């Protein structure tokens, strides 16, 4: 059946999602938490397909935060294994479908096996341009801001710039999200009403949508509902509505 897409009106250019609720999904079924993480991969699949079909250009998925290292070792290892499993299984299709994979955060500090896989996926899809899917891996918004400050300071110390040359654009260019537009819409499933250190700088003017559904049950219908909601928001970026921004 052809996908009717999300009704009339423009779609957001960049959607960001905090993929939350895997553990509760599993616990409600009497399953180990990892079963929820595994089931979440199917949600990723459906959401990527929908974004591609509906013309969304950027999708950023929060997969592992810098704070998630404080979970039990067993769960952290399972998540690391799932990352490799996911990339091994999905990469051929993502490649075929024109998806460009990116990673944000301190993903290079993941265990070697994981960081190599991520690097390989980025390289294998670099020329694709249908949809950019950025995985936030070992990501923290505060850490990303600190890393950008450090990069600017290092350049200045090496004689490459003066403090007065630093502005929002030069700062933005050193974040791991450099080159991507800011998110138009953030979706957090699972009922939690917080941003948990995600995209702190980038979400200054993002529209928020919170949903009760748990991530493993999230499908394109939930994305469609979020987009419908987004279309009813009035975004003025500090100006007045009649100024037509
Ligand atoms: C999100 O699901 C996945 C990661 C944080 C890696 P959770 O594991 O946080 O699930 P809940 O919030 O405990 O239900
Ligand atoms: C945020 O979810 C991180 C990811 C989804 C990767 P958490 O479950 O870790 O966030 P808190 O602990 O509820 O704030
Ligand atoms: Mg959670």
């Amino acid at each position: 059946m052809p996908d009717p897409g999300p009704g009339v009106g423009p779609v957001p250019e960049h959607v960001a999602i905090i993929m939350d609720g895997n553990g509760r999904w599993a616990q409600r079924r009497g399953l180990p938490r990892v079963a929820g993480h595994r089931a979440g991969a199917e949600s990723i699949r459906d959401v990527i397909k929908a974004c591609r079909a509906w013309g969304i250009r950027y999708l950023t998925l929060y997969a592992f935060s810098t704070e998630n290292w404080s979970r039990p070792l067993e769960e952290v290892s399972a998540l690391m294994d799932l990352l490799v499993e996911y990339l091994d299984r999905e990469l051929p299709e993502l490649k075929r479908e024109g998806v460009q994979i990116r990673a944000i955060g301190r993903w290079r500090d993941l265990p070697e096996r994981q960081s190599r896989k991520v690097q390989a996926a980025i390289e294998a899809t670099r020329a694709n341009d249908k949809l950019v899917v950025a995985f936030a891996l070992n990501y923290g918004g505060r850490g990303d801001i600190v890393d950008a400050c450090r990069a600017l300071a290092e350049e200045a110390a090496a004689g490459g710039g003066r403090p007065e040359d630093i502005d929002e654009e030069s700062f933005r260019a050193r974040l791991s999200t450099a080159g991507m537009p800011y998110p138009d819409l953030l979706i957090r499933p699972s009922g939690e009403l917080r941003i948990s250190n995600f995209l702190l700088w980038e979400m200054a003017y993002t529209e928020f949508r919170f949903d009760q559904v748990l991530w493993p049950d999230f499908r394109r219908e939930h994305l469609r509902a979020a987009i419908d909601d987004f279309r009813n928001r009035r975004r003025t970026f500090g100006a007045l509505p009649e100024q037509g921004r």
Side-chain angles (χ1 to χ4, degrees):
M1 212 172 73
D3 185 337
V8 184
V11 293
E13 184 182 19
H14 183 174
V15 175
I17 305 181
I18 301 176
M19 304 189 290
D20 196 19
N22 299 351
R24 277 163 283 174
W25 183 92
Q27 275 158 355
R28 282 179 199 172
R29 285 165 175 73
L31 299 168
R33 292 178 56 86
V34 60
H37 298 313
R38 178 165 279 117
E42 196 49 44
S43 309
I44 298 180
R45 230 177 121 79
D46 195 49
V47 165
I48 289 179
K49 277 180 182 294
C51 285
R52 208 184 154 289
W54 301 347
I56 291 165
R57 304 304 304 241
Y58 296 86
L59 173 67
T60 299
L61 298 171
Y62 204 3
F64 192 86
S65 75
T66 46
E67 288 73 27
N68 288 148
W69 294 111
S70 54
R71 295 190 179 198
L73 182 60
E74 192 191 335
E75 178 161 346
V76 170
S77 319
L79 285 165
M80 292 300 141
D81 289 348
L82 278 173
L83 173 61
V84 171
E85 198 181 302
Y86 171 81
L87 290 173
D88 282 344
R89 192 182 57 239
E90 303 291 330
L91 189 59
E93 190 176 338
L94 292 168
K95 234 164 117 174
R96 258 199 324 275
E97 297 215 320
V99 172
Q100 183 188 129
I101 301 209
R102 281 190 58 152
I104 60 167
R106 294 176 180 158
W107 62 273
R108 291 182 184 82
D109 295 338
L110 290 172
E112 199 180 331
R113 181 152 171 261
Q114 279 68 25
S115 62
R116 276 174 190 270
K117 279 279 173 205
V118 172
Q119 177 80 49
I122 293 170
E123 277 164 19
T125 59
R126 205 180 282 286
N128 286 352
D129 62 0
K130 288 275 182 292
L131 165 70
V132 172
V133 177
F135 288 94
L137 294 164
N138 193 19
Y139 178 88
R142 289 176 181 162
D144 213 47
I145 289 171
V146 167
D147 290 350
C149 292
R150 201 176 280 169
L152 286 169
E154 277 167 7
E155 289 164 33
R162 297 168 304 165
E164 57 269 34
D165 293 334
I166 296 175
D167 58 15
E168 290 186 11
E169 281 312 303
S170 63
F171 181 80
R172 175 182 190 177
R174 273 119 188 130
L175 292 167
S176 67
T177 53
M180 300 203 285
Y182 292 139
D184 301 292
L185 173 63
L186 167 79
I187 304 171
R188 182 168 193 158
S190 93
E192 305 303 338
L193 305 178
R194 56 177 170 268
I195 58 175
S196 302
N197 204 12
F198 195 35
L199 302 175
L200 297 180
W201 168 280
E202 293 85 347
M203 295 206 296
Y205 271 104
T206 298
E207 298 294 328
F208 287 9
R209 159 92 180 184
F210 297 100
D211 197 325
Q212 291 298 321
V213 67
L214 302 174
W215 176 249
D217 290 327
F218 193 100
R219 289 294 178 272
R220 65 181 64 200
E221 290 69 40
H222 303 96
L223 179 60
R224 185 182 283 127
I227 292 171
D228 285 344
D229 182 2
F230 171 81
R231 284 175 172 153
N232 290 321
R233 308 283 178 94
R234 206 183 56 178
R235 300 180 86 196
T236 51
F237 302 94
L240 298 177
E242 60 268 26
Q243 292 176 278
R245 290 193 62 178

